[in-house]
């Protein structure tokens, strides 16, 4: 469980976007979902195999606390990290995650959110958007995007224009400083759409460890990062007036 | 009583309309029929009794300002009966004053006028629709059509009460009301076609679905006569400029046909000046009769919350505002004959701008109850104010708000500029110059492109509500397009 929890925290906390994660478990896999308060970023992730001990639907709150606990040396590979459940009426519900070091003399309990609470905060969503443009971003393109974003720290969005078989990225605007470059060549020459998305979340997702894929559509961008344990879809709706 | 003339001072500025409170109007109206306020209670300086507070009156009031807004939402809509408390509105000088009637769409949206508004056959809605139209025809110069704001369906309680369950329901219900107004209007009042929408996409869609009602080619004799900006249209200057350019090129802002545009619920002081810029530019390049008005109820609501307008903050390149703070409410002043303003300044240390109402007030006129006095309910309350104390302070607050708006425009014309209307990152780029250039272009696409080029400039301009300033750029529209509840 420790490896999964570390993987999840590493792929969510650095974005500073989510205050809690919704966990839905079934026999084949475990799903993780979250929506940023201003709806600028949606996470939909799925493990390649079910997380041991995880069951039902519950919420993981306070990711920074969870990160701290997971990185306490007492809770290394020899420690015990297990899900504690609680009987309420006729059902057994996930209650907390119990941390105990190898000697059994150092403990923490990380409290979970109930199904009822997490469902009210993070209702299940059905995706109806298409992302027809798909490519694997090069390291060079990601680096160049970082350069442009760092050159324009006051600009919060990056504009992607897909046309003529290439994806152009622009930062800034016509009335002030601006910059642009070709982010990707050799995409579908018939594709034609433009959108602006928060650059912080684009770069944040592209900074995550794992194999990456970018999908684009007329409503925004989806960046998929596969860590080996979990496949994370970071969906970033475009910003409009 | 000397009357301060705010009518002449108005010049060619966009017109602020105080959203007249029924509470305030009641004092003026009822006093005409009986001593609603004991004459001994009226301040000695009010030589025209309570009528001194009637700023719509041609003379003998503390100040004269002939423009206001009054809402059907809190009016008595029965035009067959004498309603004393509405006499300030009903028996005003029709030639020398201007009243814009708000329709009560807000009341529908809040579920206060229940009915199935999206159903053309709902008898409750039909009755209310008829009452509103009749009332507008009888008493108003301009009136707003009975629109249903698009946010209505997001409030579950209101949504259930008024039968509006989606954006399209709001559109459909408004069309039902518009059709009724078009088919049944008598021509005594000019109507403003209300534009709603929570973002640019919705606002564009709403406009496309409603614009025909203002088109003389579609309704030669009964078309609506101007526009009212609600929703995102009233707080996002980017959308405002796009809409006006589109109206011009759609032939829907024509001289003599569509001369008036109203901005609902606009209280930011900077907007008083930027709306003047837009009015002047449209008058210069397209429609010389074009007039912009904007309203808010702040002077009345502030008093209800115990707040008094005290002074204005108008600094070059700064944030502009009218300042309020709690006034004087203390029973120890019930026998104090000093001026109200003297007590505010000397006892309370409040920087107070004296006005034509307050200069006639002794502090005992506001703080009327002595310790031990019983109020009209026969009980000793905590406050030293009676209901007329509120009315008197509302009179001051209305003047103070009007004074703030007119002073802002005067200062703006003198070269003092609010921070949000100038971008001096690279060179001095003034809002008024960009607006002038937009409307000077006679090509729609060139005007719209110029508006887009200054997209980031418009985000400096913070509006009163909705998504304003930097928040005008947001992910909500795309998110709603991408996802639906599972």
């Amino acid at each position: 469980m420790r490896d999964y929890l570390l993987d999840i925290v590493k792929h969510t906390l650095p974005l500073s976007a989510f205050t809690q994660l919704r966990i839905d478990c079934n026999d084949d896999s475990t799903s993780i979902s979250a929506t940023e308060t201003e709806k600028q970023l949606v996470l939909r992730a799925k493990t390649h195999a079910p997380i041991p001990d995880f069951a039902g639907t519950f919420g993981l709150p306070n990711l920074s606390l969870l990160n701290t606990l997971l990185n306490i040396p007492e809770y290394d590979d020899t420690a015990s990290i297990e899900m504690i459940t609680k009987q309420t009426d006729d059902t057994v519900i996930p209650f907390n995650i119990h941390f105990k070091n190898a000697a059994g003399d150092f403990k923490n309990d990380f409290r979970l959110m109930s199904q009822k609470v997490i469902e009210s905060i993070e209702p299940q969503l059905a995706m109806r958007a298409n992302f027809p443009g798909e490519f694997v971003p090069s390291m060079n393109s990601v680096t160049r995007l970082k350069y442009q974003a760092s050159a324009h720290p006051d600009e919060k969005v990056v504009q992607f224009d897909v046309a003529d078989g290439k994806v152009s990225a622009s930062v800034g605007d016509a009335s002030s400083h601006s910059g642009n470059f070709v982010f990707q060549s050799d995409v579908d020459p018939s594709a034609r759409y433009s959108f602006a998305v928060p650059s912080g979340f684009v770069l944040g997702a592209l900074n995550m460890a794992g194999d990456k894929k970018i999908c684009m559509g007329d409503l925004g961008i989806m960046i998929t990062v596969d860590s080996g344990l979990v496949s994370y879809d970071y969906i970033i709706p475009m910003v409009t007036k | 009583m000397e009357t301060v003339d705010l009518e002449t001072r108005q010049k060619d500025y966009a017109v602020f309309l105080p959203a007249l409170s029924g509470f305030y109007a009641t004092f003026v109206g009822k006093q005409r029929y009986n001593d609603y306020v004991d004459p001994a209670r009226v301040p000695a300086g009010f030589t025209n009794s309570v009528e001194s507070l009637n700023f719509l009156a041609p003379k003998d009031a503390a100040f004269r300002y002939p423009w206001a807004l009054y809402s059907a939402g809190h009016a008595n809509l029965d035009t067959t009966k004498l309603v004393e408390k509405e006499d300030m509105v009903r028996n005003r000088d029709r030639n020398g004053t201007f009243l814009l009637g708000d329709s009560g769409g807000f009341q529908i949206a809040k579920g206060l006028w229940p009915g199935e508004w999206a159903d053309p056959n709902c008898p409750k809605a039909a009755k209310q629709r008829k009452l509103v139209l009749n009332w507008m025809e009888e008493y108003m110069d301009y009136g707003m059509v009975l629109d249903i704001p698009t946010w209505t369906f997001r409030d579950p309680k209101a949504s259930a009460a008024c039968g509006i369950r989606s954006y399209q329901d709001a559109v459909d219900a408004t069309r039902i009301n518009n059709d009724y107004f078009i088919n049944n209007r008598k021509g005594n009042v000019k109507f403003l076609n209300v534009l709603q929408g929570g973002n640019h996409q919705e606002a564009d869609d709403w406009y496309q679905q409603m614009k025909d009602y203002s088109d003389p080619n579609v309704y030669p004799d009964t078309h609506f006569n101007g526009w009212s900006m609600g929703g995102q249209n009233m707080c996002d200057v980017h959308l405002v400029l796009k809409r006006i350019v589109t109206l011009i090129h759609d032939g829907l802002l024509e001289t003599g046909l569509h001369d008036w545009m109203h901005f609902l619920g606009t209280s930011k002081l900077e907007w008083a000046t930027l709306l003047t810029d837009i009015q002047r530019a449209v008058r210069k390049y397209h429609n010389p009769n074009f007039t912009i008005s904007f309203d808010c109820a702040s002077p009345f609501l502030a008093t209800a919350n115990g707040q008094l307008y005290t002074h204005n903050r108008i600094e070059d390149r700064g944030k502009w505002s009218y300042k309020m703070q709690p006034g004087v409410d203390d029973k120890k002043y019930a026998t104090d004959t000093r001026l109200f303003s003297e007590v505010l300044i000397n006892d309370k240390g409040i920087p107070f701008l004296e006005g034509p109402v307050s200069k006639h007030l002794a502090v005992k006129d506001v703080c009327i109850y002595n310790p031990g006095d019983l109020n009209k309910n026969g009980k000793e309350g905590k406050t030293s104010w009676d209901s007329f104390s509120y009315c008197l302070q509302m009179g001051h607050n209305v003047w103070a708000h009007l004074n703030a708006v007119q002073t802002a425009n005067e200062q703006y014309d003198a070269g003092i500029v609010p921070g949000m209307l100038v971008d001096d990152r690279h060179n001095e780029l003034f809002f008024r110059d960009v607006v002038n250039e937009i409307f000077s272009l006679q090509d729609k696409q060139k005007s719209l492109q110029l508006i887009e080029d200054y997209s980031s400039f418009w985000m400096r301009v913070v509006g009163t509500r909705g998504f304003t300033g930097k928040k005008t750029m947001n992910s909500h529209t795309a998110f709603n397009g991408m996802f639906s509840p599972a």
Side-chain angles (χ1 to χ4, degrees), chain B residues 102-339:
Chain B
D102 199 353
S103 60
F106 184 80
Q107 275 64 29
I108 297 173
K110 283 291 177 187
L112 300 173
W113 285 356
E116 287 293 323
W117 286 88
D119 175 1
N121 300 313
C122 171
K124 275 188 184 172
K127 184 183 174 191
Q128 200 67 24
R129 203 177 284 131
K130 185 178 179 182
L131 283 170
V132 171
L133 175 61
N134 192 42
W135 180 84
M136 292 270 191
E137 293 273 6
E138 199 69 31
Y139 300 119
M140 297 294 121
D141 297 292
Y142 270 83
M144 274 168 259
V145 296
L146 199 42
D147 64 300
I148 317 288
T150 52
W151 48 263
T152 307
F153 70 90
R154 298 192 184 103
D155 177 345
K157 199 174 166 187
S159 170
C162 65
I164 304 298
R165 294 172 185 89
S166 65
Y167 165 81
Q168 194 55 44
D169 273 356
V171 171
D172 293 344
T174 302
R175 288 186 66 91
I176 292 167
N177 293 342
N178 284 357
D179 287 335
Y180 179 80
F181 276 41
I182 285 271
N183 293 329
N184 294 280
R185 64 183 298 195
K186 297 173 195 152
N188 299 327
V189 57
K190 292 181 175 177
F191 278 111
L192 302 182
N193 194 344
V194 182
L195 297 176
Q196 291 287 354
N199 52 50
H200 286 225
Q201 190 184 39
E202 271 185 13
D204 289 347
D205 179 71
W206 184 284
Y207 171 68
Q208 290 303 328
Q209 298 207 49
M210 300 297 170
K211 67 179 183 178
D212 281 358
Y213 291 107
S214 298
D215 191 339
N217 296 316
V218 181
Y219 300 102
D221 302 319
T222 56
H223 66 84
F224 296 151
N225 316 91
W227 301 92
S228 181
M229 308 295 256
Q232 190 67 7
N233 297 279
M234 73 188 184
C235 55
D236 178 349
V237 75
H238 187 163
L239 185 55
V240 170
L241 293 168
K242 270 197 332 188
R243 183 66 57 237
I244 296 177
V245 165
T246 306
L247 286 171
I248 289 172
H249 290 277
D250 283 353
L252 299 175
L253 208 61
E254 295 305 294
T255 307
L257 299 178
H258 320 97
D259 291 334
W260 204 279
M261 176 175 281
H262 182 72
F263 286 76
L264 288 155
T266 299
S267 56
K268 292 268 181 201
L269 197 50
E270 291 92 342
W271 278 67
T273 62
L274 76 85
L275 291 176
T276 297
D277 282 337
I278 295 172
Q279 175 175 290
R280 285 173 174 167
V282 174
R283 283 183 179 182
K284 183 176 177 184
Y285 296 108
H286 183 68
N287 178 347
N289 296 346
F290 182 64
T291 299
I292 289 179
S293 61
F294 57 105
D295 79 276
C296 75
S298 304
F300 301 101
L301 292 175
T303 318
N305 292 320
Q307 297 283 309
L308 188 72
Y309 280 56
T310 55
H311 62 290
N312 303 320
R313 190 174 72 182
I314 296 177
E315 295 164 354
D316 194 29
R317 318 291 163 121
K319 186 176 181 303
W320 291 15
S321 58
Y322 37 82
K323 309 300 283 184
M324 309 175 199
Q325 53 186 293
V328 186
D329 183 1
D330 195 325
K331 291 179 180 176
K332 75 179 183 185
Y333 293 119
T335 54
D336 194 328
T337 57
R338 285 181 297 161
L339 276 175

Side-chain angles (χ1 to χ4, degrees), chain B residues 319-475:
Chain B
K319 186 176 181 303
W320 291 15
S321 58
Y322 37 82
K323 309 300 283 184
M324 309 175 199
Q325 53 186 293
V328 186
D329 183 1
D330 195 325
K331 291 179 180 176
K332 75 179 183 185
Y333 293 119
T335 54
D336 194 328
T337 57
R338 285 181 297 161
L339 276 175
F340 179 60
S341 54
E342 190 184 331
V343 172
L344 285 167
I345 294 165
N346 295 337
D347 290 18
K348 301 290 179 185
I350 294 173
F352 182 73
L353 190 60
E354 185 81 285
V357 174
S358 63
K359 78 176 185 181
H360 294 294
L361 298 182
V363 69
K364 72 178 181 63
D365 293 324
V366 174
C367 302
I368 193 75
Y369 289 129
N370 282 288
D373 283 353
L374 304 182
N375 60 25
K376 64 180 179 184
N377 298 322
K379 293 179 179 170
E380 184 182 1
K382 285 183 181 174
T383 179
S384 64
W385 297 358
D386 66 2
S387 57
F388 192 55
S389 303
Y390 285 90
C391 182
L392 292 169
Q393 292 177 93
M394 282 180 180
H396 165 76
N397 281 355
V398 173
W399 168 82
H401 196 112
L402 293 168
N403 178 62
V405 164
Q406 294 186 334
T407 302
N409 273 290
E410 287 160 357
Q411 293 295 304
Y412 192 50
D413 279 352
I416 309 296
V417 185
M420 67 167 75
L421 298 187
V422 57
D423 179 355
D424 50 12
R425 285 177 299 168
H426 310 303
N427 50 29
E428 285 189 322
L429 180 70
F430 291 100
F431 179 89
R432 61 159 68 101
D433 294 337
V434 181
V435 166
N436 194 63
E437 188 181 356
I438 288 166
F439 291 106
S440 73
L441 300 170
Q442 299 301 310
D443 180 295
K444 179 182 176 184
Q445 288 313 317
K446 284 181 181 171
S447 292
L448 291 176
Q449 186 56 53
L450 195 57
I451 293 169
E452 292 308 316
D453 289 347
Y454 287 103
S455 180
S456 62
F457 186 19
W458 313 132
M459 288 195 285
R460 298 170 65 86
V461 182
V462 178
T464 301
R465 64 190 75 184
F467 292 115
T468 75
K470 289 183 178 176
K471 285 191 175 176
T472 51
M473 283 283 276
N474 62 73
S475 301

Side-chain angles (χ1 to χ4, degrees), chain A residues 35 38-40 42 44 124-129 131 173-177 219-220 235-241, chain B residues 199-201 238 425-426 453-456 458-459 472-486:
Chain A
T35 307
E38 292 298 319
K39 300 179 176 175
Q40 294 194 342
V42 178
R44 290 160 69 97
Q124 267 193 326
L125 299 171
M127 169 87 103
R128 56 186 182 195
F131 297 96
D173 71 84
S175 66
S176 185
H177 310 292
L219 287 176
I235 302 156
I236 309 171
M238 68 173 174
V239 292
T240 56
K241 283 193 173 181
Chain B
N199 52 50
H200 286 225
Q201 190 184 39
H238 187 163
R425 285 177 299 168
H426 310 303
D453 289 347
Y454 287 103
S455 180
S456 62
W458 313 132
M459 288 195 285
T472 51
M473 283 283 276
N474 62 73
S475 301
H476 290 247
T477 306
F479 178 89
N480 291 334
M482 278 182 171
F483 298 101
S484 57

